[in-house]
Amino acid sequence: MEVLRYWTHSSTLRGSQLNEETAGSKLFALTLYTTLWASMYRIQLSLWSHRTAEWRCRVVSLTHGTLVTYLSYYSQCVEGPSVFGIEPGLPNNNTQVFIAKLCLGYFIFDLVWCLCYQTEPPIMIVHHVLSIFGMANMIFQGKWGTELVAVIGATEVSNPLLQLRWFLKNAGYSKTILGEIVDFLFIIVFGAFRFLLSGYVMLEYVSYPNDDVLGKVGAVSMFSLSAVFYYYILGYAKKKYGRMFFPPSNKKEESGEITLNNGLNKQVNGVSSASRYRNGVGTKDNPTHSPAANNVTHIKPE
């Protein structure tokens, strides 16, 4: 908690004040936060050299998701202003800019990681690029901070569950009661926050009269990606829970294999933005050939 107070002290004490940083200061901060996330990944190479690249990336993702979810909640529900009941497009305050820069630094790190290891299907690279564009647009335009922070919180709140799901599976506990609870909560939380709440914010942003055409196109594109991901997640849930309550009548159905194209299996199978290496297909330390390399993966729902 002391570390968190250190990082948030300057912004939360004056969070309601408008942010008046120069462009140079913002660029310096983005470099700093990108280096912070990269350093966290790098330090793990010394601390846990026996761990795979997938494991280390998930630690970074879990830390980022947990931290920005808390900060977004603080900004929206404690400090304010909240996205509900205000005029859209208010100027950014210090807390909102701090959250956006911290999150943007993470996405820059993660995008570079994915490009270096060539692990991502095109749709996930597009997701990263749109996320970076949206946060940079908010930071340098100087407004829309309330809406963006709400979306950051809504999209990242399911991330800790996503990572916990993988760690449980990796440790052999995915079939336990805890594993089933985490799996179910991930599906519900993703839909409630990333689909419904983010959809509400997107509609507010798009319907507000302004000339930010690129921003509106980006917002609609990001929500469309979330909708596609949730469509496949619901398909996974239907297969899993349908089979649980209505057992299949033939062996072909019992095999439970789902074929997903275009690399979208990673969201259905509870995998975040980091890679096929982190999807259990392989790791940096132990690469393996897989049908995923051909953009088609067979997944057995748990």
Side-chain angles (χ1 to χ4, degrees):
M1 292 302 296
E2 291 301 322
V3 174
L4 187 57
R5 290 193 188 100
Y6 171 79
W7 281 105
T8 61
H9 179 73
S10 61
S11 58
T12 55
L13 285 182
R14 300 176 288 108
S16 59
Q17 297 182 12
L18 300 183
N19 183 265
E20 298 178 351
E21 289 181 290
T22 64
S25 176
K26 292 174 182 177
L27 288 173
F28 174 78
L30 290 177
T31 303
L32 176 64
Y33 292 130
T34 304
T35 304
L36 173 69
W37 295 115
S39 298
M40 182 178 179
Y41 176 82
R42 186 66 183 177
I43 289 172
Q44 293 181 76
L45 295 175
S46 300
L47 296 178
W48 301 299
S49 59
H50 62 289
R51 297 294 187 179
T52 64
E54 177 179 10
W55 194 94
R56 293 189 288 268
C57 281
R58 285 188 180 276
V59 170
V60 177
S61 297
L62 176 61
T63 304
H64 165 261
T66 304
L67 181 58
V68 298
T69 296
Y70 164 75
L71 291 174
S72 299
Y73 163 79
Y74 179 88
S75 176
Q76 289 284 308
C77 301
V78 178
E79 181 184 86
S82 170
V83 72
F84 298 104
I86 65 164
E87 180 183 356
L90 292 178
N92 302 335
N93 64 36
N94 291 328
T95 303
Q96 293 165 352
V97 173
F98 168 74
I99 294 170
K101 289 187 293 190
L102 187 68
C103 196
L104 180 54
Y106 164 78
F107 270 93
I108 292 174
F109 153 75
D110 200 43
L111 178 61
V112 172
W113 193 95
C114 295
L115 292 175
C116 286
Y117 293 114
Q118 296 291 304
T119 61
E120 289 298 330
I123 191 170
M124 295 308 296
I125 300 299
V126 171
H127 169 270
H128 278 50
V129 171
L130 288 175
S131 298
I132 290 171
F133 169 77
M135 287 179 279
N137 187 48
M138 167 268 195
I139 292 171
F140 289 98
Q141 270 200 10
K143 58 183 180 179
W144 300 106
T146 303
E147 290 78 13
L148 183 72
V149 168
V151 170
I152 289 175
T155 54
E156 290 299 326
V157 68
S158 61
N159 186 277
L161 291 170
L162 196 66
Q163 307 311 324
L164 179 58
R165 182 183 185 274
W166 183 88
F167 283 117
L168 288 171
K169 180 179 179 181
N170 192 54
Y173 294 108
S174 61
K175 301 295 185 180
T176 63
I177 294 178
L178 177 60
E180 293 294 342
I181 291 175
V182 170
D183 205 23
F184 179 76
L185 285 177
F186 168 70
I187 296 171
I188 298 300
V189 170
F190 190 103
F193 287 89
R194 186 161 182 171
F195 184 70
L196 296 179
L197 180 56
S198 294
Y200 167 80
V201 177
M202 184 272 295
L203 289 175
E204 287 288 309
Y205 176 57
V206 172
S207 61
Y208 189 75
N210 63 69
D211 57 357
D212 186 17
V213 178
L214 287 178
K216 290 183 177 182
V217 171
V220 173
S221 300
M222 280 297 297
F223 179 75
S224 299
L225 287 178
S226 293
V228 171
F229 293 151
Y230 197 52
Y231 171 80
Y232 282 100
I233 289 173
L234 290 177
Y236 162 74
K238 180 181 178 181
K239 291 284 186 179
K240 174 178 179 175
Y241 295 110
R243 188 172 292 108
M244 182 181 297
F245 294 105
F246 304 98
S249 58
N250 59 68
K251 293 183 178 180
K252 182 178 180 180
E253 291 178 344
E254 287 175 357
S255 67
E257 291 192 350
I258 306 174
T259 302
L260 301 175
N261 295 316
N262 301 323
L264 293 175
N265 57 283
K266 65 187 304 180
Q267 289 292 337
V268 179
N269 203 29
V271 181
S272 65
S273 61
S275 71
R276 276 200 305 268
Y277 289 131
R278 286 184 282 158
N279 196 23
V281 173
T283 68
K284 175 187 174 185
D285 308 310
N286 184 28
T288 59
H289 178 72
S290 165
N294 298 321
N295 218 17
V296 178
T297 302
H298 297 285
I299 302 172
K300 292 185 178 180
E302 301 171 6

